[in-house]
Amino acid sequence: MRKWNFNRSVHRLSVAGAFLLTVAACAPYAAAQHIETSTFNQSPKRPAEDPKAVEHGKQVYAQKCASCHAADLRGTDTGVNILRSQPALTDHGNDHLTPIMLGQWTGMQSHKVDISNADALAVGAYVRSMLALIGSQGRAPYDAMKQPNIVVGDATTGKATFDKTCGSCHSAEGDLKGFAKKVASPKLMQAAWLRGTYLGATPVVVTATVTEPGKPAVNGTLIHIDDFLVTLKVDDGTQQTFERNGAVPKVVVKDPLDAHRNLLPKYTDKDIHDITAYLVTLK
Ligand code: HEC
Ligand code: HEC
């Protein structure tokens, strides 16, 4: 056991060493290359893999590796995260990955995988093709992974539910006309209608009325509120801050999106699926 660990750490050191040397040697070139397109801490571009090998490797990976390393390569309790594995990240043309899979190298000697040479080469191509898609700062290649389609509801039922639940405030021909064009991704669109707002929406104005004992009520746009202070922007453009002490002064907040918040616990999953299926038709 100790010997194995020793080998493993030597292996890691040599990989790390080789990596640092490579980085040092390439640094001026890499720096010059990345000036224009630089995204902070972007990993270097990898050469494209043979698409046939990638496709085959993907299937073999699903059969022989995914149970331990997860379908998205991010690892499970029984296998490490390959997207963060040094030997995988520093692999070039299967110099690390294939020997690990074939058990010729420290790295995965505790788990023998029954895999042919040809299949191991293909899995290597697939793994590198996924590593090539990692975003800046090691962000997993989510975009390349299959996103489940969330449009699973029934649009006709959705229209009926919409008319009943939302019709008092919205209309498909009025304010929500073309809404599915405005927020094109169904996933973001569902989040948008549930919350009643989204990135890029006209901000909703929250107002409040503060009434101190024996004084006239002050109305304004709510700037800040917590248990101790409330700040309003009043009509003349100035801000007024009031100290809060329990129920004094009396504060009444009017948030137009309260309607949305109050609806949240009332939807069934089916309501949500159906309404989304209807709203994606509002193109
Ligand atoms: C039965 C579970 C299991 C299966 C199946 C499996 N692995 Fe592993 N793999 C591991 C474990 C656990 C490790 C961590 C090292 C160890 O304990 O041997 C590992 C290590 C690795 C490493 C080295 C990671 C590092 O940073 O040192 C790579 C690369 C790897 N596996 C790729 C694969 C590929 C590709 C397949 C499919 C051909 C595969 N593994 C199948 C469990 C598995
Ligand atoms: C009591 C009124 C009310 C009800 C009921 C209501 N909403 Fe809203 N909704 C609002 C308000 C207020 C906003 C804030 C933006 C605005 O004024 O249009 C909003 C915003 C939205 C937005 C974002 C519009 C945009 O472009 O900014 C969507 C989409 C939306 N609601 C969908 C729905 C759906 C779907 C339902 C029913 C499941 C629903 N709403 C029920 C009042 C309501």
Side-chain angles (χ1 to χ4, degrees), residues 165-166 169-170 179 182 193 196 198 204 256-257 259-260 263 267 275:
T165 317
C166 327
C169 304
H170 301 288
F179 188 65
K182 235 192 254 171
W193 78 252
Y198 54 94
V204 171
L257 288 179
H260 273 254
L263 279 170
Y267 304 123
I275 290 174

Side-chain angles (χ1 to χ4, degrees), residues 117-167:
N117 255 318
D119 280 357
L121 290 169
V123 172
Y126 168 64
V127 169
R128 283 192 307 279
S129 77
M130 294 311 282
L131 292 173
L133 299 172
I134 288 179
S136 60
Q137 302 189 33
R139 194 177 69 89
Y142 301 114
D143 304 343
M145 293 172 179
K146 233 195 169 126
Q147 298 280 345
N149 179 13
I150 67 147
V151 186
V152 292
D154 176 69
T156 313
T157 318
K159 179 177 175 359
T161 314
F162 176 87
D163 289 345
K164 197 172 67 183
T165 317
C166 327

